[in-house]
Each structure stands twice: as C-alpha cells, then as structure tokens.
Amino acid sequence: MAGIRFAMPDSNVDLSPKVKNDPFAKLPREVIFKICHLLFDENVPELAKASWVVHALTRNDGGFWKLSLQYNLGWFFEAQELIRLGALRRPEMFKGIYLWATKKIWVHLWLDGPLMHVANRRRIWVTCEELANAYGARRY
C-alpha cells in the first residue's frame, strides 16, 4: 500500500438535490446561524452531519466563520482587530482561526508563551458570560 495515492473526494460536490427532507432548508440563514451559536463548538459538526443545509453553511462560508469569530470569540481582541483592519481577508482564514483558537487558546497547566494572556482573558470572559447569563443580563 505504501506509495499508492488515494484521490481526495471533491469537497465542493453539491449533494443538495439528493436531500429529501431537511427542516433547516425552510429556515432563514440568520436563524440557522443563531442555532449554531447556541450549541457548544463540538456539537456544530454533529448538526452539520445531520443537515445538509448546516453542512453547506459551515463548510466554507467565510461570512459564517467571520460572524462566529466576532460573536463567540469576543475575548480574542487580537483577531477582532485584524478583522477590523482588513488583515484577515480570505474567507478560509476565518474558519481556521476560529477552530484553532477554540482548541488551542485555553488555560491549562504549564501554559506559557505569547498567548497566555489571551488564554487568561478567555477564562475570565467565559466566567463573566456565565454569571451574566445566570443573572439575566443581555449578551452584546
């Protein structure tokens, strides 16, 4: 088997004509976006497996991931500033940064380096959001 190359499936294949019934197809994009952001990050891929519409929206949609960065990663000021300045222009960057930040920037034992302050900010931010939700504060 060594040396044999396997062709990667085309990720841009449109399977929407084969979908028989997807209740998410009746929903506006904004509603699907809000549903996805009410879920934990690890549950969005599960929803994408169940719904072709969600899969297509989360696969390569730069707008979805840009809004995800702005909405869910408010604690990551550095990414917000890069978006504002236009340094992050290619849509595929948003998805990569979002997935990287949610997995790698978290306070854990022996974390050090240039992102330690961002990880601490995330820890404090998440705690404050939980307190705000417990006391009924609005999320902005």
Side-chain angles (χ1 to χ4, degrees):
M1 284 282 170
I4 297 175
R5 293 185 180 216
F6 294 96
M8 293 296 292
D10 185 8
S11 63
N12 293 325
V13 174
D14 184 15
L15 299 176
S16 56
K18 296 185 181 215
V19 176
K20 300 291 183 211
N21 185 18
D22 187 349
F24 285 93
K26 299 173 186 169
L27 296 175
R29 181 180 168 162
E30 294 79 20
V31 173
I32 296 171
F33 174 78
K34 289 187 179 194
I35 290 170
C36 288
H37 292 290
L38 289 173
L39 298 173
F40 292 111
D41 291 328
E42 59 270 9
N43 295 93
V44 174
E46 298 302 319
L47 179 60
K49 288 178 190 175
S51 167
W52 175 257
V53 173
V54 175
H55 170 76
L57 180 66
T58 60
R59 182 177 54 193
N60 292 321
D61 188 336
F64 175 85
W65 293 104
K66 181 178 180 181
L67 289 172
S68 297
L69 277 168
Q70 294 170 335
Y71 187 80
N72 289 342
L73 275 57
W75 49 266
F76 198 4
F77 301 148
E78 294 78 3
Q80 308 297 335
E81 185 66 12
L82 290 173
I83 291 170
R84 190 184 70 73
L85 293 173
L88 301 177
R89 293 186 187 138
R90 294 192 329 240
E92 62 272 10
M93 292 176 129
F94 299 125
K95 181 178 181 180
I97 291 171
Y98 182 87
L99 296 175
W100 171 80
T102 55
K103 295 232 185 285
K104 298 294 182 184
I105 302 178
W106 194 251
V107 176
H108 54 82
L109 198 56
W110 299 297
L111 174 69
D112 61 355
L115 293 175
M116 185 170 186
H117 71 284
V118 179
N120 280 325
R121 187 186 318 136
R122 178 182 183 181
R123 179 180 51 87
I124 293 165
W125 190 282
V126 169
T127 303
C128 290
E129 278 185 338
E130 289 173 4
L131 288 171
N133 289 337
Y135 287 99
R138 288 187 168 175
R139 184 176 184 186
Y140 296 100

